[in-house]
């Protein structure tokens, strides 16, 4: 399969999986983080692109679960910003360590150890619960009031 075919298949599989599972598209948040890495840590940006080309596109174009593959890419981007962990937040707002496969209606965030580094949303349900929206607002958007 040629690169353009691989990319087209990867994009189509990801978009279908996001719709099927009721998830927001995380690509804008990933692109924003990549822009930041390009400006502040060019070597980390190059690593993120290398991982995307060598692993993410290959897995998305193949048979790997598209959502789990994309969450893993979010982990990679998050780790290149600063070490941390993927955390799953259920509809009641309870946080647990994330492990694939992604359960339905679960939000996944990469939370860095260094609180000065931004949190990255790797998976957000389109119909996020009030608790998930509050967690996203406070943690990702850094809103101090609801």
């Amino acid at each position: 399969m040629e690169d353009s075919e691989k990319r087209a298949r990867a994009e189509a599989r990801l978009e279908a999986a996001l719709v099927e599972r009721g998830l927001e598209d995380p690509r804008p948040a990933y692109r924003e983080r990549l822009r930041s890495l390009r400006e502040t840590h060019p070597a980390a940006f190059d690593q993120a692109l290398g991982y995307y080309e060598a692993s993410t596109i290959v897995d998305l174009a193949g048979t790997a679960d598209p959502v789990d593959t994309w969450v893993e890419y979010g982990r990679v981007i998050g780790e290149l910003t600063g070490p941390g962990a993927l955390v799953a937040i259920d509809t009641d707002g309870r946080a647990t360590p994330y492990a694939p496969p992604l359960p339905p209606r679960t939000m996944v965030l990469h939370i860095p150890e260094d609180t000065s580094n931004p949190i990255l949303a790797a998976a957000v349900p389109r119909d996020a619960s009030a608790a998930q929206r509050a967690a996203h607002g406070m943690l990702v958007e850094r809103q101090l009031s609801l």
Side-chain angles (χ1 to χ4, degrees), residues 21-24 67 71 86-99 101-109 121-129 132:
R21 291 186 164 156
L23 296 170
E24 291 181 5
V67 171
V71 169
L86 286 177
V87 175
I89 301 176
D90 68 16
T91 55
D92 292 328
R94 286 186 297 253
T96 57
Y98 170 75
L102 178 68
R105 298 198 66 215
T106 299
M107 181 166 62
V108 179
L109 305 175
V124 178
R126 267 190 257 122
D127 64 342
S129 69
Q132 288 169 326

Side-chain angles (χ1 to χ4, degrees), residues 17-32:
L18 293 172
V19 169
E20 178 183 312
R21 291 186 164 156
L23 296 170
E24 291 181 5
D25 188 345
R27 291 176 289 191
Y30 286 18
R31 287 183 195 116
E32 183 178 321

